Amino acid sequence: MSTPQTYIPTIELNDGRSIPQLGFGTFQVPPADTEKVVSDAIEAGYRHLDTAQMYGNEEGVGRAVAASGIPREEFWITTKLNNTFHERTAAREATERSLEALGGRIDLYLVHWPLAMHDDVARVWEAMEEVRSDLAVDSIGVSNFTEANLARLAEAGLSTPTVNQIESNPYFVNDELRAACVERGIAVEAWSPLAQGSVFGDPQLTALAEQVGRTVSQVVLRWVLQRGDIVFPKSSSPARMQENLALFDFELTDEQMASVSALHNGTRSGPDPDVFDWRG
Ligand SMILES: NC(=O)c1ccc[n+]([C@@H]2O[C@H](COP(=O)([O-])OP(=O)(O)OC[C@H]3O[C@@H](n4cnc5c(N)ncnc54)[C@H](OP(=O)(O)O)[C@@H]3O)[C@@H](O)[C@H]2O)c1
C-alpha cells in the first residue's frame, strides 16, 4: 500500500516512549466493517489506532495492519483491558488474546474503566504491571480514572500510568481532571473529541470555522491538539478521515481557543466513570 506521509507530532510519555498525538478511533466501528474502515484510515495516513477488547473489533484492526504491508513497528496500537477481566489471571489471558489479534505487540494498554465501586483499582493496576513485564506490552495506562482513582494508585506505591484516556470535548472540557493528570505527569487522551458528532450544527463552532476557513471538525480537533492532548477521531468516511488529519497547517489564536472552551456546559457524550458499572 502506498500512503501519504502525514506529519504528526509526538508526545513523550513518562516511560520515555513517544506517542503520535493524532490517531484514529474505532469505537462503534462494527467488527464486520473494521478491516475495511481501518484499511481506509491507514491509506489516509493514520498510523496510531485506538481499539479495545470491549469494541469486539481488534481482529479487524490487526487484519488491516497486516494487509497494509507496512511494518508493524510503524504503527502505534492502543487497546484496553475489558471490565470483565480485571482479575490477575483473566487479565493475562485477555492480554494474550489481544496480542494474538494485534500482530504480537501492544504499544499502549489501558484499563478501560476503573469500576472502583467493585474493585480496588490498585489490584487491576498490579495485573497491568505484571503483563507489561511478562508480555509484549510496551506502555500501560488507564482510561476513565478519576482523581481519586489516580490517588489510590500513588498511595499504594504503584507506578504512574503513562496516560489517562478521558472524555474531553467543547461541551465537556474536563479541565480539573486534565490538570490533575498533568500534575502527576500523566498524558491526557481526549475521547469523543467531536462529542460523537454533536459538535456539527453548533452555530458558534460553524461561525468560528467560517472565520478560520476550516471545517467544524478541524477547528475542534485543532483545539484539542493545542491544549496538548492526544486525540483519535473516528470516521467511517475516507474523505472525513483525510479532513481530520489536515490539522497541522493552521493555528487557533488564544481568543479562538477560549471561545471553544467557553462552550462547556457539562454535557457528557458518554458515561460518568463514578457510576458506570458495565461488566458484560
Ligand atoms: N476510553 C473510552 O471509554 C472511550 C469512550 C469513547 C470513545 N473512545 C475512543 O475515542 C474515539 C473517538 O470518539 P468517538 O468515536 O466516541 O466519537 P468522535 O470521534 O467524537 O465522533 C465520531 C462521530 O463524528 C463523525 N465525524 C467524524 N469526523 C467527521 C467530520 N470530519 N465531519 C463530520 N462528521 C464527522 C463520525 O461520523 P462518520 O463515521 O459518519 O464520519 C461519528 O459520528 C473512539 O473511536 C474510541 O477510540 C474511548
Side-chain angles (χ1 to χ4, degrees), residues 27-28 167 169 171 191-200 234 268-271:
F27 178 43
Q28 291 174 329
E167 178 168 359
N169 57 56
Y171 306 127
W191 63 248
S192 295
L194 304 170
Q196 296 192 354
S198 303
V199 294
F200 302 107
K234 172 262 173 189
R268 290 181 187 268
S269 293

Side-chain angles (χ1 to χ4, degrees), residues 25-27 50 55 80 112-113 143-144 165 191-197 200 217 232-237 240 243-244:
T26 65
F27 178 43
D50 185 272
Y55 304 165
K80 313 180 192 92
H112 204 151
W113 290 89
S143 179
N144 300 302
Q165 185 177 124
W191 63 248
S192 295
L194 304 170
Q196 296 192 354
F200 302 107
S217 188
F232 24 81
K234 172 262 173 189
S235 180
S236 51
S237 137
R240 291 193 286 278
E243 178 186 328
N244 295 346

Side-chain angles (χ1 to χ4, degrees), residues 153-183:
L153 301 186
E155 174 195 290
L158 300 174
S159 60
T160 305
T162 55
V163 311
N164 192 10
Q165 185 177 124
I166 56 176
E167 178 168 359
S168 184
N169 57 56
Y171 306 127
F172 192 79
V173 294
N174 220 345
D175 280 346
E176 218 175 286
L177 180 53
R178 288 176 63 254
C181 291
V182 171
E183 203 166 296

Side-chain angles (χ1 to χ4, degrees), residues 54 82-84 115 277-280:
M54 194 188 288
N82 206 347
N83 298 342
T84 36
L115 298 189
D277 191 17
W278 184 82
R279 286 193 291 176

